[in-house]
Amino acid sequence: MLWDEREQAVYWTDIAGSTLWRLHPADGSVTHWRMPERLASFALCKAEGWLLLALASQLAFFQLDQQRLIPLHAIEPGLSTRANDGACDRQGRFVFGTLHEPAVGAKQPVGGFYRLHADLRLEKLPLPGVAISNSIAFSPASDRMYFCDSLARKILCCDYGDRLGEPRVFVDLDGIAGEPDGSAVDAEGALWNAQWGMHRVVRYLPDGTEDLVLDLPARQPTRPAFGGPDLKTLYVTSARDGLTATQLADDPHAGALFALAAPVAGLREPRFAGSPPHHG
């Protein structure tokens, strides 16, 4: 999920429904686009009218008005994985990770993290293997990257640039009943993390100290994003995945999009610097 300051609109994905959604809060208008496969994450592009998509099995450019899809790279062909969380760094490169989908048994850390450069070259990042990639976000100066394997219940960080530093633990969530999911960074450099199974988004200061907890009326929040004209609205997506009929009855807002007033402003969403092939 992300906020487009050009459109003054919030975009998000229904992964299981293979659908991209857009809301213009000013007038309440909603648009959606069906995708050929599950859409895990995406990025705005500097090229007007285009998004960069991390579909389950491939990266692709998507032209919104023409509904035109241009495939770029297959994602981990030969592995039982799909794309998952992703975000642009502030240099305009798209960083994403994958998620293990075994036919039988538990998820294993066989996936990886990747970076798509402006010249459309795809680089595998030297980070630990991952079962469920999440929490990909960047500090305001883009000199630190955050990421996690949700199953490990630890948000990690590393020094970030053309080369990456050694990963270290930013926040240890081993004691919670849920899992860390998607994240966003605010203008003060704090990390906001949606915590699956915990009905909450938590703000962590740059030193990893827990600063603020926002409770949500849905047990499975998935990702926050700052939006609005002043970037002080915190949008949060949530999911219905895996909930039984009884649990859904107790969680009527599961799958909803929430908007909350944030005490600090966010940062403008970076745009992918590369251009679609044959596009100026």
Side-chain angles (χ1 to χ4, degrees), residues 14 25 41 46-47 52-53 57 73 77-78 85 87 109 131 168 175 181 184 187 207 222-223 241 259 263:
D14 175 353
S41 55
K46 287 188 176 179
L52 175 66
L53 308 182
S57 70
H73 292 283
D85 194 33
R168 57 191 184 273
D181 209 299
D207 65 359
T222 53
R223 186 182 173 110
D241 301 35

Side-chain angles (χ1 to χ4, degrees), residues 176-181 193-202 212-223 234 236-239 243 246-255 258 260:
I176 71 169
E179 300 171 0
D181 209 299
N193 178 246
Q195 297 185 349
W196 178 279
M198 297 292 289
H199 297 88
R200 69 186 193 181
V201 175
V202 183
L212 180 68
V213 177
L214 293 182
D215 294 319
L216 292 172
R219 67 185 294 168
Q220 295 181 166
T222 53
R223 186 182 173 110
L234 188 73
V236 184
T237 47
S238 66
L243 298 180
T246 300
Q247 288 171 326
L248 285 170
D250 292 335
D251 193 358
H253 300 296
F258 300 96
L260 304 90

Side-chain angles (χ1 to χ4, degrees), residues 44-110:
L44 303 172
C45 291
K46 287 188 176 179
E48 192 76 37
W50 291 83
L51 295 178
L52 175 66
L53 308 182
L55 296 162
S57 70
Q58 62 180 318
L59 293 177
F61 282 109
F62 182 66
Q63 190 175 26
L64 291 160
D65 60 352
Q66 301 295 319
Q67 300 190 42
R68 178 185 172 202
L69 195 74
I70 302 178
L72 286 177
H73 292 283
I75 296 173
E76 294 186 338
L79 290 180
S80 54
T81 57
R82 68 159 172 85
N84 201 47
D85 194 33
C88 263
D89 66 21
R90 307 195 195 286
Q91 291 83 12
R93 301 170 292 193
F94 183 63
V95 176
F96 70 97
T98 58
L99 177 153
H100 187 211
E101 291 188 318
V104 294
K107 290 179 170 61
Q108 301 296 325
V110 298

